[in-house]
């Protein structure tokens, strides 16, 4: 049996999950893969802290040198969080010719070009665990979709926002209450900004979009809206229209540009993504050969993420000494789409009197926006909510039209604008 | 750029799909993978038949020797149907040291041990397209789930039966009408026995279960029931109980045996598989690290299947000359489970008079079967339908109990027995 010695950087949630899974399933892996994964050294912050059972105290260290500089280690497994010092550790391991496995989305997204260039197009660098925990989306995009032009990827790739929107949709909760509940149950951190405002999803989408587009799509080029603006009334009106609200990450490829965006969106309630509830993640791929393909599973958590890390370790072990090709293009520039076509849901408050609708419809028409449905809620009150759903139109035209409508004396307020994605 | 020469055996639906996809996406594949896939020879039955555009007449042949014996061909791509002569061609290609890609479930299921032994544990043999068309289930089980003990795989792996059950469930159609509709629309063949009675699903399950169990699970060891016994009334009573009826393929691993079975089953309507409709396929994996993972997509069709074939060709091309390990165990014997625990739905017709229920309940109790719900439909008619749902019990105990109940003078008929899977 072949033995591979691994050096681990970081023993937080994911690192502990890897140690526990290797302890529980290591024998099975040896039998199935004819490979023994031996944990030689583990870098930790705090040597005094309790660690998973089955690993001698002596292999834990707080000195990165004892892991990175150990010539007996075959593979470096980086499970820290944040860009630094992880980037230096990864680049140093690549330079020393060792395969690298990482679960760290921040460093992969932020340092994509450095890592891919150093590894000559992704040779011996494995990052399936950096996106969507246990869902092998990176592996599928890299190794199972090569025959396809990918038209579009739609993802529910943040468990916290999916949990909050599920509560709002199923229980009629308002955003603030659903967020508070998510925090109580451990589905959201005390400061939930990174999740709620889409920063976490944008990091993951940067990695997915870079693979799909075949060129780096930096986080900074991704359009981003959070879910804090969503009112329960929007979700409830959306239901009447046959829609379910989800926080989507979208990568769509055009000939000349990449559309990469993270925002709440209404999707048809019959869409396979609509039934992805609670903290589950899912990624929906539209390829020109495969058609529609969806992966659904646990996008976070110690053991699901460990599943992806260990799978990458096994794949990495098989590539040691092999001349695997690097397939990631690092030379082309990304052109981020500044505009796109979308259907929209618009909710506004207007006085209940003749002429208002014709005025608003006139502004939409001037901007070449046509309306597919209209709902007016409530009658015999001075102000009523008015909801439009449009046919596909330019996002920028929509923003221009809404600015004009908001300024108009016929309109009390423009309350929400939400993408509709089919 | 590297060029790989492929020899194709069979140019039916899948073969034509591969030629079309290579013609459409070949340039993109060259750019992304730095690999040119060159189709050198194509074995067909009928040289006169029209073939996809972009391939010279001269590369088509009706002589297998011109493909198998061509030393300039690097990879053999077998897309015939049925076990013979495909098995001979595959074994001959393996013996000559060439990687083999196959989309043929019959030959992989029937000749698993021969193929895996000849290829020293699956080295250079690729069969992702043989199961579930465009869904990369083989690749995921082989290359992304290695860290897991797989507890169970549940699959909707036959599009025809899923289409028929969807029509029965959504439109209230009876089996015969839904089958006729499926034939009219091309979702079922004129002789639909292989689909409707579960033979097609059993072939696919044999391959999935063999990978999951790490030893060959022959088609003959798979328990099989078809859907022709399903009445629309069962589906409709199931809905009241919170169930959706699906044709499931199940591979469950026990310490000492493999449970492999294909049968209609009620699943909770909230289960992710319950929303898999029409001719779509899905595979739900329960692994001890990854938790719940589901793949959803097109399980058949020319282009989805071509997506998997071409992906396998690219993977095969990368392994040429490499010492890839074979990980498939061919030495252990399979012990097929002859009994298992399941919940059951039982529908029977009984006279509407006192004492009947206590008699039936008594028989269940003697067989250690306990009841979780009971519905009686209709009153004031001499005979009424009675539906039981049980707690988990032994399948064999259930069959014994039902034989006794069917013989009892208190019961008019036992009308249906359906597994309930959660």
């Amino acid at each position: 049996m072949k033995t591979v010695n691994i050096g681990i950087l970081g023993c937080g949630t994911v690192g502990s999950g890897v140690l526990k899974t290797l302890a529980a399933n290591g024998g099975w892996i040896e039998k199935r893969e004819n490979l023994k994964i031996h944990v030689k050294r583990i870098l930790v912050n705090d040597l005094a802290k309790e660690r998973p059972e089955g690993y001698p105290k002596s292999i834990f260290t707080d000195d990165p040198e004892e892991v990175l500089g150990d010539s007996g280690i075959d593979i470096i497994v980086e499970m820290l969080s944040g860009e630094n010092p992880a980037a230096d550790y990864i680049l140093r391991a690549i330079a020393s010719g060792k395969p690298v496995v990482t679960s760290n989305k921040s460093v992969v997204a932020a340092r994509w070009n450095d890592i891919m260039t150093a590894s000559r197009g992704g040779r011996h660098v494995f990052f399936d665990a950096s996106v969507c925990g246990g869902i092998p989306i990176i592996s599928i995009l890299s190794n199972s979709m090569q025959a396809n032009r990918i038209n579009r990827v739609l993802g529910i790739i943040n468990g916290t926002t999916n949990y909050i929107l599920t509560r709002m949709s199923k229980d009629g909760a308002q955003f603030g209450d659903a967020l508070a509940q998510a925090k109580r149950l451990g589905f959201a951190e005390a400061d939930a900004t990174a999740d709620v405002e889409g920063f976490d999803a944008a990091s993951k989408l940067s990695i997915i979009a870079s693979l799909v587009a075949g060129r780096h799509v930096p986080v900074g080029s991704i359009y981003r809206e959070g879910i804090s603006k969503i009112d329960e009334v929007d979700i409830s009106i959306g239901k009447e229209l046959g829609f379910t609200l989800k926080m989507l990450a979208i990568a769509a490829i055009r000939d000349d540009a990449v559309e990469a965006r993270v925002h709440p969106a209404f999707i048809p309630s019959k869409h396979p993504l609509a039934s992805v509830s609670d903290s589950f993640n899912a990624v929906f791929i539209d390829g020109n050969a495969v058609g529609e393909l969806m992966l659904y599973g646990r996008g976070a958590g110690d053991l699901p993420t460990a599943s992806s890390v260990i799978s990458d370790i096994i794949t990495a072990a098989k590539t040691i000494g092999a001349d695997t090709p690097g397939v990631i293009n690092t030379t082309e520039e990304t052109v981020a789409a500044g505009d796109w076509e979308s259907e929209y849901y618009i909710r506004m408050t207007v006085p209940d009197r003749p002429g208002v609708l014709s005025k608003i419809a006139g502004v939409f028409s001037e901007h070449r926006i046509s309306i597919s449905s209209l709902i007016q809620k409530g009658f015999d009150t001075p102000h009523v909510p008015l909801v439009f759903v449009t046919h596909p139109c330019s996002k920028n035209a929509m923003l221009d039209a809404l600015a004009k409508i908001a300024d108009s004396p016929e309109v009390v307020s423009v309350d929400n604008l939400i993408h509709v994605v089919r």
Side-chain angles (χ1 to χ4, degrees), chain A residues 251-270:
Chain A
I253 305 306
R254 302 201 208 147
D255 289 337
D256 54 344
V258 180
E259 250 179 54
R261 40 196 173 105
V262 170
H263 54 64
F266 282 118
I267 56 175
S269 295
K270 289 181 173 178

Side-chain angles (χ1 to χ4, degrees), chain A residues 45 63 72 96 145 152 157 181 192 207 233 277-279 289-290 394:
Chain A
N45 272 329
D63 177 4
S96 71
M145 292 295 113
R152 194 172 69 157
I157 60 178
Q181 193 189 355
I207 299 171
V233 75
S277 296
D278 299 320
S279 64
V290 79
S394 139

Side-chain angles (χ1 to χ4, degrees), chain A residues 75 84 132 195 210 343 410:
Chain A
I75 298 173
N84 295 307
C132 292
D195 293 317
S210 298
E343 297 172 50
E410 280 84 359

Side-chain angles (χ1 to χ4, degrees), chain A residues 268-336:
Chain A
S269 295
K270 289 181 173 178
H271 193 285
L273 285 171
S275 54
V276 176
S277 296
D278 299 320
S279 64
F280 277 94
N281 283 17
V283 182
F284 186 88
I285 299 169
D286 170 9
N288 75 343
V290 79
E292 299 181 351
L293 182 74
M294 187 174 84
L295 291 94
Y296 163 99
R298 289 278 173 209
D302 56 349
L303 301 185
T305 310
S307 171
S308 291
V309 169
I310 295 171
S311 180
D312 271 353
I313 292 171
I314 294 168
T315 307
K318 291 180 184 170
T319 70
I320 291 176
D323 182 26
T324 54
V327 298
I328 293 169
N329 186 324
T330 54
T331 54
E332 283 185 47
E333 295 284 323
T334 297
V335 182

Side-chain angles (χ1 to χ4, degrees), chain A residues 38-102:
Chain A
H38 176 245
V39 181
K40 189 150 190 263
R41 297 295 272 173
I42 305 170
L43 176 69
V44 295
N45 272 329
D46 178 358
L47 282 170
K49 204 171 155 187
E50 186 103 13
R51 303 294 173 184
E53 280 180 26
Y55 299 87
K57 280 262 173 230
S58 59
I59 68 172
F60 291 86
T61 173
D62 56 6
D63 177 4
E65 203 52 41
E66 294 203 6
V67 184
L68 292 165
D70 183 338
S71 63
I73 285 174
D74 305 307
I75 298 173
I76 295 294
V77 184
E78 185 272 310
M79 295 178 282
L80 302 161
S81 55
E83 184 182 339
N84 295 307
D88 288 344
Y89 297 166
I90 288 174
L91 292 171
R92 186 170 156 191
I94 292 171
S96 71
K98 289 180 185 176
V100 173
V101 173
T102 173

Side-chain angles (χ1 to χ4, degrees), chain A residues 326-395:
Chain A
V327 298
I328 293 169
N329 186 324
T330 54
T331 54
E332 283 185 47
E333 295 284 323
T334 297
V335 182
D339 193 13
W340 49 76
E341 295 276 305
S342 179
E343 297 172 50
Y344 286 97
Y345 158 106
I346 308 115
R347 177 167 58 87
M348 52 184 81
T349 305
V350 298
D352 191 13
R353 65 165 185 251
V356 171
L357 181 58
S358 91
K359 172 74 192 203
I360 296 167
V363 177
F364 280 138
S365 169
E366 278 165 35
H367 289 80
R368 299 173 168 272
I369 295 166
S370 74
I371 304 303
S372 70
S373 22
L374 170 63
I375 305 183
Q376 180 178 321
K377 296 299 229 178
F379 295 91
D380 294 329
T381 53
H383 296 155
V384 293
L386 193 59
V387 169
F388 297 89
V389 178
T390 71
H391 288 292
C393 64
S394 139
K395 178 200 67 166

